[in-house]
Amino acid sequence: MSTPDEVVRAMCRSWSDPDTDPDRISAYFAEDAVYQNIPMEPIVGRAAIRDFIAEFRTAFDAIHIDIHHQVAAGAVVMNERTDTLRGADRVTPLRVMGFFEVTDGAISIWRDYFDMAAINRAFDG
């Protein structure tokens, strides 16, 4: 079985695949996982997370996640990273702090903290 650190790294890498598949990404999550972009409302359940990923992914031509630092202690993983969003002739680097809990080899909690102004610029074109 993969360690929590390996699970989070693999999930982050899967976003950078040019043929990103929401089913493949959501497979890293527990059935009852909770994903939240703070301060937005949480998304609960693997199916809802998959739907969010599918919708979010259509807004961009590519998404690349570059982990700068990652630490793991037991089931908890935290990383500092840049998520680069490419689309509509625009490149938006988004600095993110991520918190994850991994239970039985699957992500059960994922919370991301970032500057909402940067994400709004990516969507406002």
Side-chain angles (χ1 to χ4, degrees):
M1 183 187 310
S2 299
T3 67
D5 181 85
E6 292 167 336
V7 169
V8 170
R9 287 181 188 279
M11 188 278 298
C12 288
R13 273 193 310 274
S14 70
W15 282 85
S16 299
D17 186 333
D19 299 315
T20 301
D21 177 2
D23 291 318
R24 194 176 94 210
I25 297 171
S26 64
Y28 287 100
F29 293 86
E31 200 60 47
D32 60 348
V34 177
Y35 170 43
Q36 186 172 15
N37 287 309
I38 306 295
M40 297 185 287
E41 291 297 314
I43 300 163
V44 180
R46 181 188 298 150
I49 292 168
R50 185 247 174 253
D51 293 346
F52 171 83
I53 291 168
E55 183 177 336
F56 186 78
R57 191 61 188 87
T58 62
F60 300 100
D61 298 327
I63 298 172
H64 178 77
I65 295 177
D66 183 26
I67 298 171
H68 305 296
H69 305 283
Q70 183 160 300
V71 296
V76 173
V77 178
M78 297 176 72
N79 63 26
E80 177 189 32
R81 60 184 203 270
T82 300
D83 296 1
T84 303
L85 314 172
R86 290 182 169 78
D89 297 323
R90 153 176 300 199
V91 176
T92 304
L94 182 64
R95 296 289 296 199
V96 180
M97 185 68 208
F99 172 89
F100 304 82
E101 284 187 26
V102 178
T103 306
D104 297 327
I107 297 168
S108 53
I109 296 174
W110 178 12
R111 289 190 300 265
D112 274 347
Y113 301 82
F114 53 87
D115 179 2
M116 281 298 292
I119 198 77
N120 288 339
R121 283 191 300 273
F123 279 104
D124 291 341

